Amino acid sequence: MSPHFKILYLFVSPHGWLTEVKRLHLAADAPKDQVYQWAWISTAQVIPLRFVSMAATQPRQQREFEEASLWFDTRRGALAWHGGATVALEVQADNALPSPQEQQLQAHFSMA
């Protein structure tokens, strides 16, 4: 089965993966917050991040979510969970999730 999404950004850490995806099987006029979605993927679950805002001051970009804050550049980043830990991230250049996590993400979007 082909994926119903395209990975736009992918970051990896020892604790999981952070990704922004573009969902491909939605109507052309679907709201952007449904088309473009961020998610934290661990070995056990997919946690969607609810987008609030973004800023870019090259080469650094920033995203704010209801659950966390993210900054990143072309090599690394950090995800700071509100009220919790900060996770150091590295860019996954090939934008390829391991197969079990890709299947988790596919299942998540098929239920959404």
Side-chain angles (χ1 to χ4, degrees):
M1 171 164 71
S2 65
H4 293 214
F5 58 86
K6 176 184 178 185
I7 293 175
L8 302 176
Y9 289 105
L10 182 61
F11 304 91
V12 63
S13 83
H15 309 288
W17 297 262
L18 177 67
T19 187
E20 181 186 27
V21 299
K22 179 179 181 183
R23 297 178 67 193
L24 302 174
H25 286 70
L26 298 178
D29 62 347
K32 283 187 178 184
D33 67 341
Q34 291 179 15
V35 175
Y36 299 97
Q37 294 190 351
W38 286 86
W40 173 257
I41 307 157
S42 68
T43 55
Q45 63 184 335
V46 174
I47 300 171
L49 299 177
R50 294 170 291 180
F51 180 80
V52 174
S53 66
M54 65 186 259
T57 54
Q58 294 301 329
R60 187 173 163 151
Q61 296 195 43
Q62 196 159 344
R63 304 290 189 273
E64 290 296 325
F65 305 100
E66 290 185 23
E67 301 79 8
S69 297
L70 167 68
W71 75 263
F72 62 94
D73 60 24
T74 58
R75 295 188 353 228
R76 64 183 163 270
L79 181 68
W81 293 100
H82 298 319
T86 297
V87 179
L89 302 166
E90 291 189 26
V91 170
Q92 180 86 27
D94 64 4
N95 279 355
L97 278 166
S99 184
Q101 283 66 43
E102 186 172 334
Q103 291 172 4
Q104 278 180 278
L105 197 56
Q106 187 72 27
H108 169 76
F109 286 129
S110 67
M111 293 185 303

